[in-house]
Amino acid sequence: MTPPDRALIERLRTLIARGEEPRPAGPAIPLAPAIDAGLPGGGLARGAVHELLTADPGAAAALAALILARAGTPTVWIEPNPDPYPAGLAGFGLDPAALIVVRADGADALWAAEESLRAPAVAGVLATLPRLDFATGRRLHLAAEAGGTLGLILRPDTPNPPPSAARTRWRITALPAPGQAHLVGPPHWRLELVRARGAPPGTWDVAWDGTLAVLDKARAHG
């Protein structure tokens, strides 16, 4: 188990102590109009946990940074070996100065995630939790409901992902930029909504260039 950064844990404790009263969740966080139209509430619900399955951690981290930026501040980023690049985060609208990075895994990561989700002072939480059973996931979801906080859980993609208590489950895939085989272009991703409460699955190809744009060839399916 990776030793947690105790100074950051104490900073997190201080942030959590700012508010103890549960708060109602705010408005859903928008992704793109074509995607939001198929989601209950018109976007990713606050006060809930959402899972990102990925074979490409970089693509998932980029999308997570974009979502956290739209969730508000402050936000908490929990990983065994975090290495968020400030300029890269800023490129997706996430202010590095309002980000608390916690180095933890195993039981420490679960503690940090649950307490952060429960804290009304926190707007959004990203946690890398590769091993998460249904009961623990349900506990995290209840913590998010109590705090009105957006939770993002990063997990590795597998052929048969285990059952999840998350409100939505997404599969994130990096795509080459059309016509940019040998050039550096804006990030392109395939977002697959694998499962959602109250919404059909769907798949969208998107590009990020200051905003999340759904490409013409994107598709949704019921």
Side-chain angles (χ1 to χ4, degrees):
M1 181 180 296
T2 304
D5 186 318
R6 294 301 175 187
L8 287 174
I9 290 290
E10 288 308 313
R11 183 182 173 195
L12 181 57
R13 288 184 192 274
T14 300
L15 180 64
I16 290 168
R18 289 182 188 173
E20 298 295 338
E21 292 298 321
R23 68 175 181 186
I29 296 166
L31 294 174
I35 301 175
D36 299 335
L39 296 174
L44 288 182
R46 299 177 193 262
V49 168
H50 306 272
E51 278 191 359
L52 306 181
L53 304 177
T54 179
D56 183 339
L63 180 66
L66 186 161
I67 295 169
L68 289 176
R70 296 178 177 185
T73 58
T75 52
V76 179
W77 189 296
I78 305 163
E79 281 192 289
N81 296 292
D83 188 26
Y85 178 49
L89 297 179
F92 293 107
L94 184 61
D95 180 5
L99 181 66
I100 297 176
V101 179
V102 178
R103 182 184 191 182
D105 63 2
D108 289 319
L110 283 171
W111 175 87
E114 184 172 0
E115 295 303 311
S116 299
L117 288 168
R118 196 179 300 278
V122 176
V125 176
L126 168 70
T128 297
L129 300 171
R131 296 173 297 279
L132 185 67
D133 59 46
F134 186 89
T136 305
R138 176 64 178 161
R139 198 172 76 221
L140 293 178
H141 190 79
L142 292 174
E145 285 185 339
T149 308
L150 172 85
L152 299 177
I153 304 299
L154 264 60
R155 303 181 70 173
D157 193 11
T158 59
N160 297 296
S164 167
R167 179 73 59 86
T168 64
R169 170 179 273 177
W170 300 79
R171 178 172 286 113
I172 315 302
T173 307
L175 298 175
Q180 302 266 353
H182 302 292
L183 298 174
V184 176
H188 285 63
W189 307 306
R190 176 161 293 158
L191 309 184
E192 180 186 354
L193 179 59
V194 179
R195 184 189 62 79
R197 298 182 198 171
T203 303
W204 299 268
D205 290 353
V206 301
W208 171 259
D209 191 9
T211 187
L212 194 64
V214 176
L215 304 181
D216 291 341
K217 292 184 179 180
R219 58 201 181 277
H221 58 269

